[in-house]
Amino acid sequence: TPAGGDWKVLMISGGIGITPMVSMIRGLKFTHDHGLIQKCPDIILLHCERNLADVPFTDFFQQICHDPELVVSAVHLIITGDSSSQTLASSLAQLVASTGTRLSTSLIQKLVPDVATRVCYLCGPHSFMASLNDSLVSLKVARTHILMENFEY
């Protein structure tokens, strides 16, 4: 952590890969709320899911929608499946940034214009993370600023 906590983070998850992101965000909020750190990083969260109905931790996402004191400055859901049959009137609809397409280099650049200045955490399927790693490198993110959570079943 840089002195004073002045750092920027981009968290990108796919499917159940959101689990460590939720844990880190909740941990940062706890340590901040209890005076253990003075300032939280500026966090942007991008979460990819096939269908809006499959988004895990809906309580967490609903809290983000209604709690301005959370440590996340922006949250975007990328729904890769066809959303025409989905009810986007849910409380998560306001977080949906894109539907019917996968997270691409151009979409990352659009949603996170300062991506090159951020430390990036990735968690999801292996092919998802490999593709995102390539995208982030092409967007001038230093390889040392790309961290991946790897787990297998």
Side-chain angles (χ1 to χ4, degrees):
T1 306
D6 290 333
W7 53 303
K8 297 179 180 182
V9 171
L10 171 60
M11 295 181 173
I12 306 177
S13 57
I16 202 63
I18 188 67
T19 304
M21 308 304 181
V22 170
S23 180
M24 286 188 281
I25 290 167
R26 286 180 173 161
L28 280 167
K29 180 162 175 35
F30 178 87
T31 55
H32 179 264
D33 290 351
H34 289 83
L36 302 172
I37 58 173
Q38 290 183 340
K39 186 175 180 184
C40 288
D42 172 24
I43 300 173
I44 294 178
L45 173 62
L46 306 181
H47 178 67
C48 303
E49 198 67 60
R50 285 192 183 115
N51 300 296
L52 188 60
D54 294 336
V55 173
F57 296 101
T58 53
D59 60 327
F60 171 77
F61 285 107
Q62 289 169 345
Q63 183 182 12
I64 286 173
C65 292
H66 299 98
D67 186 352
E69 304 234 348
L70 280 180
V71 298
V72 181
S73 61
V75 176
H76 302 286
L77 296 176
I78 293 84
I79 306 302
T80 60
D82 178 15
S83 65
S84 61
S85 64
Q86 300 178 38
T87 304
L88 292 180
S90 78
S91 60
L92 299 182
Q94 65 184 317
L95 299 177
V96 175
S98 176
T99 59
T101 185
R102 295 188 180 272
L103 184 59
S104 64
T105 304
S106 61
L107 185 54
I108 293 170
Q109 182 65 53
K110 177 183 171 187
L111 297 174
V112 191
D114 65 348
V115 65
T117 67
R118 293 178 177 270
V119 174
C120 301
Y121 293 92
L122 311 177
C123 190
H126 179 58
S127 60
F128 171 81
M129 291 193 302
S131 173
L132 286 173
N133 184 66
D134 294 344
S135 291
L136 293 170
V137 168
S138 76
L139 291 169
K140 309 293 186 227
V141 176
R143 289 184 189 274
T144 56
H145 288 175
I146 302 172
L147 307 163
M148 292 186 257
E149 175 75 20
N150 208 353
F151 59 92
E152 300 284 333
Y153 291 101

